[in-house]
Structures are given as C-alpha cells and as structure tokens.
Amino acid sequence: METGSMFVPSKTMGTVLCCICGVAMPPNPANMCVSCLRSRVDITEGLRRHAAIHYCPECHSYLQPPHTWIRGLEPESQELLAFCLRRLCLPLRRLRLVHAEFIWTEPHSKRLRLRAKVQAEVIHGAILEQSHVVELTIHDRLCDSCTRVQANPDQWTAAVQLRQHVSHRRTFFYLEQLILRHSAALRAVRIAEADHGLDFFFSSESHANKFVQFINGVAPVKFRNDKQLVSHDPKSNHYNYKYTFSVEISPVCREDLICLPPKLSNALGNLGPIVLCTNVTNSIALLDPISLRSAFLDAKQYWRTPFRALLSSRQLVEYIVLDVEVESAEVAIGGSKYMMAHAQVARVADFGNNDTMFTIKTHLGHLLNPGDYALGYDLYAANHNDFEIDQYKGRLVLPEVVLVKKSYQRRGKPRAWKLKGLNMEVDTTSLGRADEEKRNTEYEEFLRDLEENPELRFNISLYRNKEYQPSEMASTVDGDDVPAIPLEELLAELDLSEEDEENQGADNMNE
Amino acid sequence: MATRIQFENNCEVGVFSKLTNAYCLVAIGGSENFYSVFESELADVIPVVKTSIGGTRIIGRLCAGNKNGLLLPHTTTDQELQHLRNSLPDHVVVQRIEERLSALGNCISCNDHVALTHPDLDRETEELIADVLGVEVFRQTVAGNILVGSYCAFSNRGGLVHPHTSVEDLDELSTLLQVPLVAGTVNRGSEVIAAGMTVNDWTAFCGSDTTATELSVIESVFKLREAQPSSIVDEMRKSLIDTYGQPTTFYDLLPQLFMSIMNLYPLLTGNVI
C-alpha cells in the first residue's frame, strides 16, 4: 500500500455486444464493433482517387499550377510525397492524415501510387482509421524555360561582360577556378571568350545580377548595367528587355610594380610611391618593399583615383643573389611574413659577363640565401613612360632593383594535381600560333603560382591527377626546395563510372 | 415481450412514458399512435394514463415510481396532481416533493424493492422515497455518471446498465440490487438506457432504432420471453388481498415477494443466495 496516495480500485472493462452484429467487444463510443462501423461508414467518401501531375522530361521538374515548376523531386522521396499529397486536396478539416507512403510502380509506367491512412471522427466521438489508395498519372509536358531553350538555344536575356584591360589572362584563369569552386556560373546559358575578357549569358536578369554580385565580392570591380527593349505588350503593359552588365576589373594584378599618384600616396600616409601589389581579392594589398609598410585599397577607393601598373610580371628579370644580410626581424603583414635585408644581386644575364652588381634593400630576407635565384624588376635599365612618375618631376629616387619572388629550377615535371575548366566557347580562328603559345606559357605560370602560394589555393579546388606516376628519376635529381602542393589539399574527383570502384565513397580527401 | 415504438418520430421512448407494474403514464402527443400502442399491450392489465407534468411532455424523466407510489417534482401543477390521484389505483400513493433536483426520473431509478439515487439527493427526499415507494435506497453512480436514473433501467427481474460499466462495478450493483445486470446499449448504440426504453416485469418498450441484437439482450436480461402478465399481477393482487384482513406490514409480505423473486433469479452473475 503506497503511503500518501489514494487507493484506486482496479477497473476491468467488461464486454458488451455490438449493437449490429452481436459479437462481444470492449465498449467504444459508437458501441459498434469495428467491422460493423467500417461497413457502415466510409470516411474516404468524397476523396479523390485519381489525380494528374505534369512533368518536364528535360529538366526533371514537376508543375505546381498555375506557373511554378519545382525541381529536385527525386522519385520515391519525401518531397515528392508531400507534393503529391498537396495535389490531392485532402479535406483536412474533417480528416486527419496519419501516414502516407508510396506503393511501388514501374518508373516508365507514368503512374504514381500512394497509400494514405486517414482518421476521422464518426458517430458519438469514435475515431475510425481507414487507408486510401490514390493513383496519380504523370503527363509529360515541356516547361516554359525548356520550351524557350528548345526553340532557340542561344537565346539569352541578360549578359555579363567581364573585362580587364591588361595584356595577360592570369586574372581570368584564377577567376575561372573561383567560379568553378563556388558554382557561380551554373545558370549561365553560354560562356564565350572575348578579347581582354569573358562574356557570360544568362536567361534571367536575376541570375546575371547574382553573378555580378559574386564577382564584386572577389575582385575589385566597377560595373554598370543597361537594358534594351525587345518587345512590349501595350494591353497588359508587359515589357521584355535584354539586360547587359558591363563589369571592369581593375588592371592592377599581383606582383605588379606600381608608382602611386602623389595624392594617393599622401592619402595612404606617404606610402613610398614605388609599391608592390602583393594580393588582389576584392581589395588591393600594396606593400612598400623598402619600408615594409602595407596598405589596402578597396574597389571604391581604387576607382576614385585609378592608376595602372608601372611594370608587370612579364617584365620580371632573373637575378642571382650573391650576398644577404638580414636587417630586421620577421614581420607578418596581411598573413605573409617578410624580413628586411640588404642583398647584393646581379642579373643572371650579367653574371658571367661583367661585374654589374646592385646592392639593394629587399623584403625577401626570409627566403633568400646566397646562391639563390630570384625574379625582380629591373628599374635600373627600364625605360618607363608613365604619367605618375612624371608627376613627381624628379623628386623621386627609384631603387635599382625590386626583388619580387624566389625562382626555382623546374624541369617539366608532371604534376600530381590538376584543375578543372569552365566550358567556354573560344574563337579559335582569330588566334594565331603565337597567341596559343603565349596562352600556354601563361597557364603554366599560373600553375606555378598556385604551387608557390598557399593563400592563392585557399578558394580553389584542386583535384588529384589519376594519371600521375611519381617517377624515381625526377625525385632524386630535383632539389627538394621546390614547393609542391601537399596531398591533403587535393580533392578526389567524384567518378560515377562503374569500373572505377576505388573512388566510390571517397568524395573528399580533406581532413 | 419487447416492442419497438416511436413518439412523434423520436426514438427516446423512456422520456415520454413511465411504465411500472401497477400503472403506465404516457405523454400527450399530437397523434394517438403512441398511446394506442401502450393501450393495446396493457389495457386489460393496468391503467394507461395520459398526462403532463409541469406542462411538459417529458414525464418519464420528471417522475419516479413503482407499484407502491409515484413521486412528482415541485413543478407539477395542482390539476395534474389531482388528475393523477384520480386516475391511478388507490393503493398507489401519489406524492409531490420539494427537491432541488427536480428531474426525479434522472435521479432515481427503482424497482419494487430497491432504488438507486443520485449521490447529492437530500436526506428528506431519501426518507420520502423509502416511505412512499417502499424501497431500500442506495446512493450510487453508474460507470462514473451521477445521473443513475438515466443510465440504468431495472425491473424486479433484471437490469440493463451503461455499456462502459466495469466488471467490478457490475458485480457491486448486482449485489445491491439483487437482480442480474448486463451492460448494453439501446437505440443502435445509445448509452442513455433509461431514456431509450421503459420496462416492467413482463413487457418492455424500446425506441424503433433498437437493433435485433439489443432487443435480444433486453429480452433475455429482463426475462420477457416467458413472462405472462396476468400471472404476475394476479400474484401481486393475491398477496395484497390476503392482507386486507390483517394489518399489512412489509415483513408480512416479504416471504411471498421473496419466493417469487427466488423462482425467477438465475445464477448469471454468480451471486448465490
């Protein structure tokens, strides 16, 4: 006997006779046995048993009338089940849906069957549960966007013209990888190469706008947009336009040597007018190699006082380092480390031939040792024709050499990694053989850049090259200071072919 | 014998009539059909009286009675009281009582020996019931409902209670009432037993929605199949006539009543006397 609680006598439910058929049953609010209740009352009366849904075979989407096409509904999935239940218009005020599931049908039979269990209150408050089978017929119908694509596959409504007025295409290689990584150009109908840039064509203005906003976030750009009237319906006041976005990327790239205009140099705190551009994302990072000061310019600031590079990476000259004297400790600026040093260098072209040597200050003290090769800008011998330098009118003392990066001996070593590419239309007839070679060397330089700079690799997906076999010879001959990309950073490509079983399940090798 | 009947297209016949072993009260309806059914069944045996109580037709739920007496609520008018006193046999005591719960038919359920009442009934009313009806009074609930007059109907031979009554409750009630009880329904699954049917020792009247199963349950528990009205009434009359010569006390009548009950009491519920 529990202390402190009431004694409740046990109650056993007796049996009554069903009032219709006389079978003994426990009492329920209707006082009829379940079979009598089922035979008299049909709660699914008035519910639809057949329905029709429309399916677009091109883009695998289903129509939700009147105009919406829903994508991503896999067969026998929860979302498809919810969609079909919505199409059935069940009177949920008097019924309660307890369970729903698909019944197997052949995929090509164009029929979907589902079984729904519904509960409803019948006489005197008894709740009856019944299962209800519905058959849905799938009708094939091309959705509006697929019809438009079928009618005219090159039809575009919005175009984005991406331009950068420099003589190389390194930025576009990098942007291509970024776009692939973030899938920003998924909705593009066509991608075409133009001189000094790329054209992206979209079927709706909002897709183009989204793409432009993405580019705005990864590069310092200025853009404008325009529209052109194609047709208009005066009765319903419906206007069809073609939209164009003109996006210009700033001509300043990584490893460019820049002479800042005097106003901008003052505004940035008298940053020495000769600066090196170290990184370009949506802001430009500038580094003064002599004083190791840095500044960041974002797109608005840049385009207020635009300037061009004095010398770009095409004009890099190879130097050999003869002596290095470290002056200051290691400084970390914007994620990278620099060390101020005095160095004695000579041009590789001069090395054996004459005694021309330069003693310079450089920011690469942490990398250079005597006997190393480095690439730098030769201001001693350069012939520049630059508006900004003229503005200084001789007050400026130019350094003779600005070292930019260390150079490594590379043989044509096959790489363990590879990159994917966007499928663009390249106008091959206008390119000559020289242009193609230039393109290839630029691409090779871009790949080398990726190997040397981990911060460039941050936003890019690199894939493991399956054909790569490390050859014994190459590894013993090469020096071991050549930077290579560690294996942990490479992704394995998703390969859905049936023969290749080792890649199934290994979608991402990152830790 | 159980008869199916309707009062003006309504199956709740226990609301509009009151049937006992000595008399029958019937409500005044638009057509005479209801009255004529009762009359055809009962005319030779007991008087069938048409009446209203307090101007209403729901007489079955407002009054409570057995062969010894009839209790009426305070809403009964004097004319109705007089009419009933005139129409009913002289040995039936007609009494109007002052009680807060005026639907006496819903609060009191009785046969000729025992009565079950609403737990909140006044003490004076309980004593009046014991006096006028000549019964032993028990305050009880049926399947958790306090309106015992609505949810159970019993005669001297058997009883029918609310279908949700548990087995223990059924045993307890059966012991109190000393008659076999069954949990069942009337009028196609209606739980309000006494509103759906009215019964005495040899006949019962149910609503026309009552299914065959329910009817067979009613006939078997109230022992209506072999019942002969005249023999039962004659037995009662004989016992009454016997006592005209001597002062009648309850204890004199007790052996005869007890014998008649003993003959008819089956061992269904396992209660052995």
Side-chain angles (χ1 to χ4, degrees), chain A residues 213-251:
Chain A
Q213 296 305 322
F214 168 74
I215 297 290
N216 195 17
V218 298
V221 299
K222 70 172 177 188
F223 60 91
R224 52 171 292 167
N225 60 339
D226 280 303
K227 59 188 187 206
Q228 174 190 23
L229 185 66
V230 171
S231 69
H232 92 283
D233 178 1
K235 290 255 170 65
S236 64
N237 276 346
H238 187 72
Y239 296 82
N240 288 329
Y241 290 102
K242 272 197 184 222
Y243 301 88
T244 327
F245 293 80
S246 170
V247 180
E248 183 172 342
I249 309 181
S250 78

Side-chain angles (χ1 to χ4, degrees), chain A residues 289-356:
Chain A
I290 314 271
S291 60
L292 278 192
R293 278 168 53 203
S294 68
F296 289 90
L297 277 182
D298 74 348
K300 282 210 193 64
Q301 284 173 303
Y302 172 77
W303 286 107
R304 241 177 271 148
T305 48
F307 50 84
R308 294 192 67 94
L310 185 61
L311 290 171
S312 80
S313 52
R314 282 263 201 82
Q315 283 102 6
L316 281 172
V317 172
E318 199 161 355
Y319 288 84
I320 178 165
V321 176
L322 301 172
D323 190 19
V324 175
E325 239 177 63
V326 171
E327 253 194 24
S328 79
E330 207 167 79
V331 180
I333 298 170
S336 347
K337 298 190 176 48
Y338 302 108
M339 219 191 282
M340 180 76 73
H342 278 280
Q344 216 177 36
V345 298
R347 279 180 290 206
V348 161
D350 286 344
F351 192 41
N353 304 335
N354 54 31
D355 265 335
T356 326

Side-chain angles (χ1 to χ4, degrees), chain B residues 1-2 21 41-42 44-46 157 200-204 219 222-237 260 264:
Chain B
M1 202 41 53
N21 287 329
E41 276 285 322
L42 305 167
D44 330 324
V45 191
I46 54 175
R157 294 154 150 248
N200 71 3
D201 282 349
W202 65 86
T203 183
E219 284 187 353
F222 290 109
K223 316 282 174 321
L224 301 175
R225 288 202 190 97
E226 61 278 353
Q228 290 295 322
S230 39
S231 58
I232 296 185
V233 174
D234 286 342
E235 258 191 54
M236 286 199 315
R237 282 215 191 103
S260 48
L264 308 168

Side-chain angles (χ1 to χ4, degrees), chain A residues 14 40 42 53 61 98 121 125 129 204 253 278 317 357 441:
Chain A
R40 263 152 191 72
D42 180 16
I53 54 180
S61 47
V98 179
E121 189 187 304
E129 183 175 304
S204 101
C253 303
T278 43
V317 172
M357 283 189 298
T441 39

Side-chain angles (χ1 to χ4, degrees), chain B residues 38-158:
Chain B
F38 277 91
E39 232 193 330
S40 63
E41 276 285 322
L42 305 167
D44 330 324
V45 191
I46 54 175
V48 181
V49 182
K50 275 207 280 192
T51 179
S52 66
I53 293 182
T56 67
R57 301 193 290 182
I58 49 169
I59 59 172
R61 301 294 94 213
L62 288 179
C63 65
N66 60 9
K67 71 166 169 59
N68 299 321
L70 177 64
L71 292 172
L72 297 171
H74 61 87
T75 54
T76 317
T77 61
D78 295 333
Q79 288 97 327
E80 291 158 354
L81 187 59
Q82 199 56 42
H83 171 66
L84 279 169
R85 284 224 176 99
N86 292 343
S87 329
L88 293 182
D90 293 334
H91 64 265
V92 175
V93 180
V94 178
Q95 176 85 5
R96 181 167 59 182
I97 61 180
E98 300 296 319
E99 162 61 58
R100 179 180 64 97
L101 304 167
S102 57
L104 299 175
N106 283 337
C107 298
I108 305 166
S109 179
C110 60
N111 62 6
D112 292 334
H113 311 288
V114 186
L116 293 179
T117 61
H118 191 292
D120 297 338
L121 221 56
D122 291 344
R123 299 272 324 139
E124 300 94 57
T125 312
E126 196 182 320
E127 284 163 15
L128 263 173
I129 298 172
D131 275 340
V132 171
L133 301 182
V135 292
E136 205 178 337
V137 179
F138 297 105
R139 290 168 187 259
Q140 262 290 353
T141 64
V142 171
N145 289 308
I146 50 178
L147 293 177
V148 290
S150 306
Y151 290 103
C152 75
F154 56 97
S155 72
N156 295 323
R157 294 154 150 248

Side-chain angles (χ1 to χ4, degrees), chain B residues 25-41:
Chain B
L25 302 177
V26 172
I28 302 171
S31 73
E32 290 290 309
N33 290 341
F34 194 61
Y35 175 71
S36 58
V37 174
F38 277 91
E39 232 193 330
S40 63
E41 276 285 322

